[in-house]
Amino acid sequence: MKRISILFLTAIFSLGLLQAQTEIKWQFRNIVHADSLKIQAFGKDHKMTTIYAQPYAASMEYKSKTSLEPGLYWVLGDSNLVDAFLISSSKGQKFSAVVDSSKITYTGSTENQRYHEYIDELQNYDNMMAKLNTEFQQAQASLPQYMLQVFVDSLTARANRISKDKEAYQRKVMAENPGTMLASVIATGIEPPQPPKEYYQDPSQKKLKKFFMEHYFDNFPWEDPRILNTAIAENKIKGFCNYIYQFDMPELDTCIIKVLEAATVNETSLYEIFDRMEKILGSNVSPYKMENSYIKMLRYMLSYKKLETARKTRYEHELSIIDKNHQGDILPDFRIVMSNGDTTTFHQVQSDYMLLYLQHPTCPTCREVRGRMANFPALNSAIAKGNLKVLTVYFEDDANVWRNFIHSSEANPSYLHGWNFDQTIEENHLFDTRTIPFMFLIDKDKRVIRKDILVNEIEDYIKKLHLD
């Protein structure tokens, strides 16, 4: 009986391996010669990763004892796209494709066959729109102005009909393929609604920008987190953050929160979209960092009742670090010893305006920024005129680092240099010093004018304040 049980379990285990196997074959006909063929997937590091490669041949076979993760995959000949295929489930990953110059035919995968038929049909709609554009360009060159407007109205009506027919087709294919990656890929590609015509007539474009922000994710399938494992979704998210960066509007934060609210239909989607937007809007090394928006994102997540304990702890800690020292706030006081040996406090250093430069003397970036600042004409002029002081502050506990710095040529003689010798900056988390240098532009009351001012902003602010 024991032997029979072992055999039974072995059979079940073997059956599980067979079910998990992946076997995909391609046959290539009439394609441009390439040196190599490879399959790429969108990885967990949010980059395209090669999962298989071989020298170029008329056929390729990908086999694996494990199943591919659901997502969208690319087949490349060198760097040129040869094919793209979808994986919706860990099951049924055994199919084949024939690729030629005009058509891709799949056997054993209804979804992928339908996907390529869909791509071909979309190309027809795009061709129709391109034809309208050509007609418009020809009309511009040949028709008088009074006739051109009538012709443009006709083209616009035709374009609207093509757009409506295209969306109707997209929604039809989605309805015919429920629960598949195909349906989610299509949903992601459906254009948001068109804004009212009068929005285009506003010279400020505020209404237009707000409309696009509010409707950017209208058709995004948040209920299907598999779509987030695709470059399509990554580009969509990056595009949204790019909108945020470009449009300085009070409604932006509301739009961001609406995106998070929409994603709550699936917890995985919510965490994924937050994590990706956090890297763009909340990271100290991101060129798109927007701290105020990030703070609102953290507050929203902390209000989410189902929030994981580990995430709650991290978000609370993150918020405690960054939600302070904002524009208009008075910076906290701390003790410092100056380069001449005098002990004082930050608040006792008097100046109409000050650039507080939190740094580590040997930090490569700190050195680079100090070097750039030394050649800023407006900054040097403001210092020479007594309108502004630069105070560098070292806040760690190595006395040798401090002494070496103040006795070196790197300690700019036109700046004030201080050491927070009792480390209260670090111990009491007075500032966000995770990334240095970290600079504040402040007034005589130590009130913040600009938090985390970037080195390339310094000259502009000095000129705006007429300090030079």
Side-chain angles (χ1 to χ4, degrees):
M1 181 69 180
K2 184 176 181 182
R3 186 172 177 226
I4 293 174
S5 299
I6 291 172
L7 289 173
F8 176 74
L9 290 173
T10 303
I12 292 295
F13 179 71
S14 300
L15 179 62
L17 286 177
L18 288 173
Q19 288 176 339
Q21 284 182 342
T22 302
E23 185 177 330
I24 313 174
K25 300 177 181 179
W26 285 267
Q27 185 177 356
F28 304 102
R29 299 176 181 172
N30 304 322
I31 66 169
V32 177
H33 180 74
D35 292 328
S36 65
L37 291 167
K38 54 190 173 183
I39 304 172
Q40 288 193 337
F42 190 69
K44 292 182 179 180
D45 59 353
H46 305 157
K47 296 178 181 178
M48 296 302 295
T49 303
T50 298
I51 62 172
Y52 177 78
Q54 70 169 53
Y56 175 77
S59 63
M60 178 172 69
E61 183 174 0
Y62 172 74
K63 283 187 176 182
S64 174
K65 291 182 179 180
T66 57
S67 58
L68 291 173
E69 290 290 328
L72 173 63
Y73 293 77
W74 294 354
V75 178
L76 303 174
D78 292 340
S79 58
N80 298 313
L81 182 65
V82 175
D83 185 23
F85 64 96
L86 301 170
I87 295 292
S88 283
S89 169
S90 60
K91 298 179 181 180
Q93 296 186 357
K94 186 175 182 179
F95 49 86
S96 61
V98 176
V99 182
D100 63 30
S101 57
S102 60
K103 188 177 182 181
I104 300 177
T105 305
Y106 271 83
T107 302
S109 176
T110 303
E111 179 178 15
N112 276 298
Q113 182 60 36
R114 194 72 181 94
Y115 174 52
H116 285 281
E117 292 170 357
Y118 167 78
I119 291 173
D120 290 342
E121 187 62 25
L122 277 200
Q123 186 62 53
N124 291 334
Y125 285 109
D126 291 342
N127 289 341
M128 286 188 280
M129 294 297 283
K131 184 179 178 182
L132 293 185
N133 187 53
T134 300
E135 289 183 39
F136 172 68
Q137 291 176 347
Q138 292 173 344
Q140 272 188 314
S142 61
L143 292 179
Q145 192 64 36
Y146 73 93
M147 294 180 63
L148 182 61
Q149 185 58 53
V150 176
F151 187 75
V152 168
D153 291 341
S154 173
L155 285 181
T156 301
R158 289 162 61 188
N160 288 337
R161 285 196 298 271
I162 294 172
S163 295
K164 288 180 180 179
D165 290 346
K166 177 182 176 182
E167 183 174 339
Y169 170 72
Q170 289 175 302
R171 295 194 180 279
K172 176 176 177 291
V173 178
M174 283 174 57
E176 292 171 347
N177 298 271
T180 63
M181 276 295 299
L182 173 57
S184 293
V185 167
I186 293 173
T188 306
I190 294 178
E191 295 293 330
Q194 287 296 311
K197 289 183 179 180
E198 59 269 21
Y199 282 21
Y200 289 97
Q201 299 169 357
D202 177 15
S204 70
Q205 294 190 324
K206 287 184 178 180
K207 289 183 178 180
L208 193 63
K209 293 173 182 177
K210 181 183 177 184
F211 182 91
F212 282 128
M213 286 296 300
E214 289 178 337
H215 295 279
Y216 188 87
F217 281 108
D218 270 11
N219 300 302
F220 197 84
W222 295 112
E223 68 281 358
D224 183 5
R226 295 173 302 180
I227 194 65
L228 294 165
N229 295 326
T230 68
I232 296 174
E234 180 73 2
N235 290 334
K236 187 86 173 176
I237 294 166
K238 285 182 178 178
F240 180 73
C241 291
N242 191 42
Y243 265 125
I244 293 172
Y245 185 70
Q246 290 183 40
F247 303 152
D248 184 16
M249 300 163 52
E251 295 88 358
L252 287 182
D253 292 336
T254 302
C255 292
I256 292 171
I257 298 306
K258 283 185 177 180
V259 171
L260 296 177
E261 288 174 345
T264 57
V265 297
N266 185 287
E267 197 167 275
T268 301
S269 291
L270 174 62
Y271 292 154
E272 281 285 337
I273 185 63
F274 180 88
D275 290 348
R276 295 192 191 185
M277 290 179 65
E278 181 181 41
K279 287 181 179 179
I280 297 171
L281 301 178
S283 171
N284 284 329
V285 297
S286 170
Y288 297 101
K289 178 184 176 184
M290 296 182 68
E291 188 174 84
N292 290 336
S293 297
Y294 179 46
I295 287 171
K296 290 180 174 63
M297 287 169 57
L298 288 170
R299 287 175 177 165
Y300 174 80
M301 293 300 288
L302 287 169
S303 72
Y304 179 58
K305 294 181 180 180
K306 299 178 182 179
L307 186 65
E308 296 173 350
T309 302
R311 286 181 175 268
K312 182 180 180 182
T313 300
R314 182 171 75 81
Y315 296 162
E316 287 176 339
H317 176 69
E318 185 77 11
L319 195 59
S320 70
I321 292 174
I322 66 173
D323 193 14
K324 56 190 172 188
N325 304 324
H326 299 301
Q327 182 177 345
D329 292 350
I330 294 177
L331 292 183
D333 201 8
F334 53 88
R335 298 172 70 197
I336 47 177
V337 59
M338 305 301 291
S339 56
N340 61 4
D342 291 346
T343 299
T344 184
T345 68
F346 166 56
H347 280 200
Q348 288 176 332
V349 180
Q350 300 298 311
S351 179
D352 288 341
Y353 293 92
M354 181 185 293
L355 197 62
L356 175 63
Y357 186 95
L358 302 169
Q359 64 147 0
H360 189 294
T362 63
C363 152
T365 305
C366 299
R367 280 175 163 164
E368 178 193 351
V369 171
R370 288 198 310 265
R372 291 175 62 186
M373 288 169 56
N375 297 312
F376 285 174
L379 174 60
N380 290 329
S381 175
I383 294 171
K385 291 179 180 179
N387 294 330
L388 176 140
K389 290 179 181 178
V390 175
L391 172 63
T392 74
V393 175
Y394 169 56
F395 50 85
E396 296 185 20
D397 62 354
D398 193 330
N400 288 329
V401 168
W402 163 247
R403 283 192 292 267
N404 290 339
F405 171 66
I406 61 174
H407 293 110
S408 73
S409 60
E410 292 190 38
N412 192 320
S414 65
Y415 299 172
L416 300 176
H417 302 286
W419 174 31
N420 177 226
F421 58 92
D422 57 7
Q423 285 81 60
T424 51
I425 288 178
E426 286 279 82
E427 291 178 5
N428 298 332
H429 306 292
L430 300 184
F431 308 106
D432 182 3
T433 55
R434 292 173 297 177
T435 302
I436 53 173
F438 197 101
M439 290 185 278
F440 292 91
L441 178 62
I442 56 179
D443 65 14
K444 63 180 181 180
D445 298 318
K446 306 298 184 291
R447 195 178 301 275
V448 177
I449 298 172
R450 178 74 165 92
K451 176 183 178 180
D452 194 14
I453 185 170
L454 303 177
V455 64
N456 57 5
E457 297 176 324
I458 293 174
E459 292 281 86
D460 288 339
Y461 270 91
I462 288 174
K463 291 173 182 177
K464 286 178 183 177
L465 294 170
H466 306 291
L467 304 181
D468 58 336

